[in-house]
């Protein structure tokens, strides 16, 4: 089958690391042009004055604070010289519109934020006379603050809370956070009074050293776990498998025992007249019967799967062991999550900055209700926002795909180098350089495919949230089904993409050709793939839980000695969330290494048999697994391995470690 212009080949000739050429150059050009478009949007938003309006702020008449302004047609108080008025002051800073994410209040440019509480309009007048900072609308003279007829609309709401300006964004922000109680309650549901909020925030600040120490502990535990898995992979996997089997059998037995017990009690009461309690008991017996049958079927299927897939479980254990050795030879792999996380953070911060610039890059519009000026996006700017949103998804997926390709390239180099002493000095750096020189187009194409699936999923999720409570049950079910299907499709494509990157790292083929070759290999080893993805993912999930649990336990012990602070909820939540993210980042790299090793192993066993000229590349541990599989297959089914494929005699060629 051809794929996107790829040439048809009956038999793929795998030549690991022999030839290296540029792949998917047109897609690299498309991605480069797209990034240039993103840069043009950023430049446009900054050049139109949006940056100054965002940083310095603007008042409700369209004047940017801290500079001279041009007149806006139809707005009487626009075009003022606000050079000396550098701060934005809100007449009612606590009136927050959570839905539209803005403060519903008139804004003015002032020379100084009120640092004391002003209880009367006479106090507002004195503050203006003493500091030259007028807190009422520009068209109201200072002398008329206490008696002006429109003071309730054009003067600040009393009492005026003391405020300070933000370090970069010159907005007068109330010092007392209780002003934002409504805003806080929308996000922190357990805040019932201001004292609780104060205690929580004070506790986080008081225990910041402990929080930082526990975050470092989570990082250390993640690294230790990756090393430990190498040495206890056999014991770990089989213990977990035994626990799952015993749990399934025990749970099934308990359900049947409960069913028999409840049925016996119900039979003893059959002579009496039916009561509501007996009807409930009958329903419970039927429910227990259904649960027991379901658990029995599940347990039988699980036992059969484990019996027929026991050899594949052994392969998972071996791959975990070899993956630990890979990290020993390639220690820089452990730093890969840092670079990816740093790159994503830098991109997300810059993307958010440009989005904020776009939010203030629109045309000034005067509202009909209050006559106040707002900058709204209209016309072509709306398309810029959509373009910018697509850029968030595509470039984020591109950065993640670069990590996958970099890890795949390093592991492929390790696997297909017979003598490990001939490895490059820094295989991970060599893989980065190879990616930059040859395969950026492949990464761009793979990430674009994920973007095509992610965009409609996000749109449907947005529609579902907007229509919550309005749509009927059928529409709600259809929306959720579509969202679920798109999510599953995304996960499948991400897994196929990762294996396509591995195939590209091996043979330097284009994305479509690599995806096709990887798909064929995966289909031929479907049972092994299923075992690795189930058993392996389960082991790594338990590893994440272990890291979070240990970090939380140490956190409880540490906070226990901090007697002056008893509210541990928020510090522990912060620590647990961070430890989960750290464990996920590190163990996801470990998972990528295992998947890459498996594809390399599958290619190796398919095209090599150990004979002279066709020696295996694999590690000694994998070699022993192949020999054991051959010996067991020889006893059970002559000349066939566990997968039904022919296993030829092999000789040990090359150098293995």
């Amino acid at each position: 089958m051809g794929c996107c212009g790829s040439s048809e080949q009956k038999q793929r000739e795998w030549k690991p690391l022999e030839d290296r050429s540029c792949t998917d150059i047109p897609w690299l050009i498309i991605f480069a042009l797209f990034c240039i478009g993103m840069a043009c949007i950023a430049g446009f938003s900054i050049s139109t004055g949006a940056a100054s309006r965002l940083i310095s702020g603007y008042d409700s008449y369209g004047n940017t604070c801290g500079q001279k302004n041009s007149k806006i047609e139809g707005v009487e108080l626009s075009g003022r010289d606000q050079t000396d008025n550098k701060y934005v002051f809100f007449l009612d800073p606590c009136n927050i519109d959570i839905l539209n994410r803005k403060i519903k209040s008139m804004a003015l440019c002032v020379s100084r934020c009120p640092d004391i509480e002003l209880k009367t309009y006479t106090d507002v007048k004195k503050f203006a006379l003493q500091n030259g900072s007028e807190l009422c609308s520009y068209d109201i003279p200072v002398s008329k603050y206490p008696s002006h007829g429109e003071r309730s609309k054009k003067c600040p709401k009393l009492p005026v809370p003391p405020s300070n300006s933000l370090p970069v964004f010159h907005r007068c922000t109330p010092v007392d956070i209780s002003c934002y109680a409504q805003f806080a309650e929308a996000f922190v549901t357990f805040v019932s009074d201001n004292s609780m909020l104060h205690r929580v925030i004070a506790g986080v600040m008081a225990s910041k050293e402990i929080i930082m120490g526990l975050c470092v502990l989570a990082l250390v535990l993640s690294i230790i776990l990756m090393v430990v898995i190498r040495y206890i992979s056999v014991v770990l996997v089989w213990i977990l498998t035994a626990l799952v089997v015993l749990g399934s059998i025990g749970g099934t037995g308990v359900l049947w025992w409960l069913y028999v017990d409840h049925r016996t009690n119900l039979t003893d009461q059959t002579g009496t007249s039916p009561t509501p309690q007996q009807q409930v008991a009958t329903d419970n017996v039927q429910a227990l019967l259904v649960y027991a049958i379901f658990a029995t079927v599940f347990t039988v299927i699980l036992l059969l799967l484990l019996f027929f897939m026991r050899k594949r479980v052994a392969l998972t254990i071996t791959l975990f062991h070899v993956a630990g050795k890979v990290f020993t030879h390639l220690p820089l792999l452990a730093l890969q999550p840092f670079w990816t996380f740093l790159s994503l953070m830098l991109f997300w911060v810059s993307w958010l900055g440009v989005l904020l610039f776009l939010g203030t890059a629109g045309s000034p519009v005067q509202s009909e209700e209050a006559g106040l000026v707002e900058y709204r996006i209209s016309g072509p700017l709306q398309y810029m926002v959509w373009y910018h949103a697509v850029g968030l998804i595509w470039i984020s997926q591109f950065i993640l795909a670069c990590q996958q390709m970099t890890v795949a390239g390093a592991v492929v180099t390790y696997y297909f180098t017979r003598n490990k002493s001939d490895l490059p000095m820094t295989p991970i750096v060599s893989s980065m350089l190879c990616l930059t020189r040859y395969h950026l187009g492949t990464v761009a194409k793979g990430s674009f495919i994920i973007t095509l699936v992610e965009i409609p999923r996000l749109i449907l999720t947005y529609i579902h949230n907007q229509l919550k409570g309005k749509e009927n049950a059928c529409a709600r079910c259809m929306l959720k089904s579509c969202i679920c299907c798109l999510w599953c499709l995304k996960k499948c494509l991400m897994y196929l993409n990762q294996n396509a990157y591995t195939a590209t790292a091996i043979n330097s083929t284009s994305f479509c050709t690599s995806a096709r070759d990887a798909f064929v290999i995966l289909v031929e080893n479907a049972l092994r793939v299923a075992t690795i993805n189930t058993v392996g993912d389960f082991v790594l999930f338990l590893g994440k839980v272990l890291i979070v649990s240990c970090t939380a336990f140490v956190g409880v012990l540490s906070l226990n000695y901090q007697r002056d602070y008893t509210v541990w909820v928020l510090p522990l939540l912060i620590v647990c969330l961070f430890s989960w993210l750290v464990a996920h980042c590190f163990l996801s790299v470990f998972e990528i290494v295992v998947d890459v090793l498996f594809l390399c192993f599958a290619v190796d066993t398919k095209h090599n048999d150990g004979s002279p000229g066709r020696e295996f590349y694999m590690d000694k541990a994998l070699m022993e697994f192949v020999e054991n599989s051959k010996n067991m297959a020889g006893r059970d089914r002559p000349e066939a391995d566990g997968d039904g494929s022919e296993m030829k005699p092999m000789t040990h060629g090359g150098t293995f470690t």
Side-chain angles (χ1 to χ4, degrees):
M1 55 182 251
C3 176
C4 302
S6 62
S7 58
E8 177 72 24
Q9 293 189 12
K10 296 181 180 180
Q11 181 66 35
R12 165 60 54 193
E13 198 62 38
W14 292 83
K15 298 180 180 179
L17 308 179
E18 290 187 11
D19 300 319
R20 190 63 61 186
S21 58
C22 296
T23 56
D24 297 296
I25 296 178
W27 278 96
L28 177 59
I29 297 174
I30 293 173
F31 182 73
L33 293 175
F34 183 85
C35 291
I36 292 174
M38 294 282 290
C40 291
I41 291 177
F44 171 80
S45 62
I46 295 174
S47 63
T48 53
S52 61
R53 283 195 291 270
L54 176 65
I55 296 175
S56 301
Y58 59 93
D59 62 17
S60 296
Y61 303 106
N63 301 299
T64 302
C65 299
Q67 68 181 42
K68 294 182 179 180
N69 296 275
S70 302
K71 184 72 175 179
I72 299 175
E73 185 177 355
V75 182
E76 183 180 353
L77 296 177
S78 62
R80 295 174 62 90
D81 185 359
Q82 303 285 16
T83 305
D84 297 329
N85 301 323
K86 300 180 179 179
Y87 304 103
V88 180
F89 175 75
F90 297 97
L91 302 189
D92 187 7
C94 300
N95 187 8
I96 299 174
D97 185 356
I98 298 176
L99 183 62
N100 295 317
R101 299 173 296 280
K102 65 180 181 179
I103 299 177
K104 296 175 62 177
S105 168
M106 178 183 287
L108 301 172
C109 295
V110 298
S111 60
R112 180 179 175 181
C113 298
D115 52 359
I116 58 175
E117 186 179 28
L118 307 177
K119 298 181 180 180
T120 64
Y121 288 113
T122 302
D123 295 337
V124 176
K125 175 183 175 181
K126 291 180 180 179
F127 180 80
L129 293 175
Q130 292 174 0
N131 302 283
S133 186
E134 302 177 5
L135 304 183
C136 291
S137 180
Y138 310 133
D139 57 347
I140 299 179
V142 175
S143 59
K144 294 185 179 180
Y145 281 2
S147 59
H148 199 278
E150 293 184 309
R151 64 184 183 181
S152 60
K153 296 181 179 179
K154 297 187 177 182
C155 286
K157 182 180 179 181
L158 296 177
V160 180
S163 59
N164 290 326
S165 63
L166 296 176
V168 178
F169 301 93
H170 301 157
R171 272 75 168 177
C172 295
T173 307
V175 176
D176 187 4
I177 59 174
S178 62
C179 173
Y180 299 109
Q182 178 188 0
F183 183 74
E185 289 174 2
F187 295 92
V188 187
T189 56
F190 63 86
V191 176
S192 58
D193 57 7
N194 295 331
S195 60
M196 170 64 77
L197 183 61
H198 280 292
R199 288 202 305 271
V200 169
I201 295 178
V204 173
M205 297 305 297
S207 58
K208 58 182 180 296
E209 293 83 4
I210 296 177
I211 294 176
M212 294 177 63
L214 292 174
C215 292
V216 174
L217 175 64
L219 178 64
V220 174
L221 288 176
S222 300
I223 297 175
I224 292 176
L225 181 62
M226 289 197 302
V227 177
V228 169
I229 286 178
R230 170 186 174 184
Y231 297 101
I232 66 169
S233 55
V234 178
V235 178
L236 182 64
V237 172
W238 286 119
I239 287 177
L240 292 175
T241 304
L243 289 176
V244 171
V245 171
L246 292 176
S248 301
I249 295 175
T252 303
V254 169
L255 286 173
W256 281 113
W257 176 77
L258 290 173
Y259 167 72
V260 172
D261 183 63
H262 282 68
R263 184 180 180 184
T264 302
N265 294 334
L266 184 63
T267 303
D268 295 338
Q269 301 175 5
T270 53
T272 62
S273 58
T275 62
Q277 289 79 7
Q278 288 182 346
Q279 183 62 39
V280 172
T282 302
D283 295 338
N284 289 338
V285 169
Q286 294 177 351
L288 284 172
L289 178 61
V290 173
Y291 294 154
I293 294 175
F294 176 79
T296 302
V297 173
F298 174 79
T299 302
V300 171
I301 294 175
L302 178 64
L303 292 175
L304 291 175
L305 286 175
L306 289 175
F307 176 77
F308 288 108
M309 300 173 68
R310 63 190 186 279
K311 298 178 183 178
R312 284 86 182 179
V313 173
L315 175 59
T316 304
I317 296 171
T318 307
L319 287 174
F320 269 58
H321 178 74
V322 177
K325 297 176 69 174
V326 170
F327 278 93
T328 303
H329 285 83
L330 312 177
L332 289 181
L333 278 178
L335 298 178
Q336 192 61 35
F338 290 107
W339 304 123
T340 304
F341 181 76
L342 180 61
S343 300
L344 285 174
M345 285 297 102
L346 291 175
F347 169 66
W348 288 342
V349 169
S350 61
W351 183 89
L352 183 60
V354 174
L355 181 64
L356 293 175
F357 291 156
L358 284 174
T360 55
S363 304
V365 178
Q366 189 174 16
S367 63
E368 298 180 358
E369 300 177 358
L372 305 181
V373 174
E374 293 181 354
Y375 287 89
R376 297 179 183 175
I377 299 176
S378 60
L381 287 179
Q382 293 179 332
Y383 299 104
M384 289 187 181
V385 173
W386 283 105
Y387 188 98
H388 195 59
V390 173
L392 173 65
I393 302 174
W394 192 1
I395 297 179
S396 297
Q397 291 296 332
F398 178 84
I399 294 173
L400 294 173
C402 284
Q403 171 182 275
Q404 295 175 351
M405 177 68 94
T406 300
V407 174
V411 176
V412 164
T413 302
Y414 169 85
Y415 187 98
F416 288 106
T417 301
R418 298 187 186 277
N419 190 348
K420 303 307 184 225
S421 60
D422 294 336
L423 284 170
M425 183 175 297
T426 53
I428 193 73
V429 176
S430 300
S431 179
M432 289 182 181
L433 296 176
C434 182
L435 165 65
T436 305
R437 182 176 179 182
Y438 296 109
H439 305 309
L440 285 179
T442 298
V443 172
K445 187 174 184 178
S447 57
F448 180 76
I449 292 175
I450 302 298
T451 304
L452 286 181
V453 179
E454 188 71 1
I455 290 175
R457 188 180 74 87
L458 293 177
I459 293 175
L460 289 178
T461 303
Y462 175 78
I463 294 174
H464 179 264
N465 292 332
Q466 292 296 314
L467 297 179
K468 187 170 293 184
K470 300 178 182 179
E471 78 279 19
N472 56 35
C474 181
R476 183 167 58 252
C477 181
M478 291 181 62
L479 275 175
K480 289 184 177 180
S481 299
C482 292
I483 293 171
C484 181
C485 291
L486 289 173
W487 182 84
C488 294
L489 178 60
K490 173 191 171 184
K491 291 297 181 182
C492 294
L493 288 176
M494 290 181 68
Y495 182 73
L496 182 60
N497 279 9
Q498 179 180 311
N499 287 278
Y501 299 147
T502 304
T504 298
I506 296 174
N507 250 11
S508 192
T509 50
S510 64
F511 176 83
C512 283
T513 303
S514 299
R516 180 193 62 191
D517 297 339
F519 181 76
V520 171
I521 292 291
L522 294 176
V523 170
E524 292 175 351
N525 297 269
L527 290 178
R528 285 176 171 176
V529 172
T531 307
I532 293 171
N533 286 334
T534 52
V535 177
D537 289 352
F538 183 64
V539 171
L540 294 179
F541 170 76
L542 291 182
K544 298 173 187 178
V545 173
L546 177 64
I547 292 172
V548 174
S549 302
C550 292
T551 306
F553 178 72
V554 175
V556 171
L557 294 180
S558 302
L559 292 171
N560 183 51
Y561 291 99
Q562 199 169 341
R563 300 295 182 181
D564 57 336
Y565 175 58
T566 57
V567 183
W568 297 352
V569 177
L570 193 55
L572 282 180
L573 285 177
I574 293 174
V575 168
C576 291
L577 177 61
F578 184 83
S579 59
W580 175 267
L581 291 176
V582 170
H584 176 72
C585 289
F586 277 89
L587 294 181
S588 63
V589 174
F590 191 92
E591 183 180 1
I592 293 174
V593 171
V594 171
D595 291 337
V596 174
L597 283 174
F598 171 73
L599 190 64
C600 294
F601 169 78
V603 172
D604 196 9
T605 54
K606 180 178 181 180
H607 296 278
N608 298 309
D609 56 13
S611 60
R614 298 181 61 185
E615 296 87 356
F616 288 116
Y617 290 93
M618 66 185 65
D619 185 271
K620 282 185 177 180
L622 288 170
M623 186 80 72
E624 293 174 359
F625 168 80
V626 172
E627 286 186 340
N628 293 334
S629 298
K630 183 193 70 170
N631 293 334
M632 293 179 65
R635 290 194 298 267
D636 300 336
R637 291 174 296 165
E639 298 186 5
D641 70 352
D643 290 334
S645 59
E646 184 180 359
M647 179 60 66
K648 299 180 181 179
M650 63 182 178
T651 59
H652 295 280
T655 304
F656 304 98
T657 58

